[in-house]
Amino acid sequence: MAEAPTQLYEIADAQAPLRRSPSPDAALDTEALKGERVAIDEITDEGWAHGRLETDGYVGFLPASALASPGPPTTHKVAALRTLAFPGPSIKLPPLAFLSLGCRLAIARIEPPFAVTASGAYLPARHLVPVDVNESDFVAVAERFVGVPYLWGGKTSLGLDCSGLVQVSLAACGIAAPRDSVDQEKALGEPLGSAGAARRGDLLFWKGHVAIARDAATMIHANAHHMAVAIEPIAEAIARIRAAGSELTSVRRL
């Protein structure tokens, strides 16, 4: 059976939910950020688009209303945790959108203190960087999310999960990563002997969970225990998660 032909779109909304089935009540598997490209093979009469995200290959259903035909190539990305897009050159105007870290934009010109998109939106220029400019410390990026609510499938400052925190933080440094922790454990870094050897930037894995070492003693992770991105001692976290029935499966160094 031949595969359905695909058509390339881009995410026009600030973020779009990618769901397991074409229903607003379906599980949120991940989110796509503004400027991401997605190959769509079907758009239903009910307004759902089925396709594959170009960044990580995730497949699912997105609201067709969140998509647009590809516009000019993206030139900049959001480097702040969250920023605002305004309809004109004034911060007193009602914002058009709230954009998260990693959203990509086609900037037509700079009118300090604003960057103006090809579609005419105005964003604080200091919150953007060219797409080829990357952060140097993905742990520092992750630390900026401390206190953000835990959201299964999320990957923005409104809410994100453990593997979303890892993926978004690495992406800010120009490092591609799978979306799910099980795939991250297979694809990222080399295994270490134990958590006792961990250093800043190492990844700690459990079944269905991942955390980032800040140093030899502490880690940061989005987790359902705190219902937020939190920093806690590695030893205490290992003991707590073990008591809940899950053992550490590996520690990996990028």
Side-chain angles (χ1 to χ4, degrees), residues 52-241:
R52 179 187 297 271
L53 299 182
E54 192 174 74
T55 49
D56 57 21
Y58 228 99
V59 174
F61 291 89
L62 303 115
S65 59
L67 305 176
S69 298
T74 55
T75 60
H76 290 70
K77 59 187 177 183
V78 176
L81 198 63
R82 182 163 289 272
T83 192
L84 303 171
F86 298 96
S90 171
I91 61 172
K92 296 181 181 180
L93 295 171
L96 296 170
F98 296 78
L99 304 180
S100 265
L101 177 75
C103 286
R104 291 178 169 243
L105 303 152
I107 298 300
R109 63 189 186 278
I110 303 295
E111 295 181 4
F114 294 102
V116 187
T117 69
S119 61
Y122 287 71
L123 295 95
R126 66 172 59 246
H127 288 173
L128 308 179
V129 295
V131 290
D132 59 353
V133 172
N134 296 314
E135 300 273 358
S136 59
D137 181 356
F138 86 95
V139 184
V141 177
E143 289 169 338
R144 288 155 59 186
F145 284 88
V146 169
V148 168
Y150 179 84
L151 174 64
W152 180 275
K155 50 186 278 189
T156 77
S157 59
L158 290 176
L160 74 177
D161 60 18
C162 64
S163 55
L165 178 65
V166 170
Q167 187 188 50
V168 168
S169 300
L170 287 173
C173 296
I175 302 171
R179 176 61 178 88
D180 294 338
S181 62
V182 63
D183 298 316
Q184 291 173 353
E185 187 171 14
K186 295 173 183 175
L188 298 175
E190 299 296 331
L192 299 179
S194 69
R199 70 184 186 197
R200 187 174 180 86
D202 290 343
L203 300 176
L204 296 87
F205 289 95
W206 293 260
K207 183 178 180 181
H209 188 60
V210 59
I212 305 167
R214 298 175 64 246
D215 49 41
T218 63
M219 67 184 211
I220 181 171
H221 58 152
N223 67 94
H225 176 75
H226 296 94
M227 281 306 297
V229 177
I231 294 170
E232 64 178 315
I234 291 174
E236 289 183 16
I238 290 174
R240 176 175 58 77
I241 297 172

Side-chain angles (χ1 to χ4, degrees), residues 236-251:
E236 289 183 16
I238 290 174
R240 176 175 58 77
I241 297 172
R242 178 184 294 122
S246 186
E247 293 286 346
L248 188 71
T249 55
S250 72
V251 181

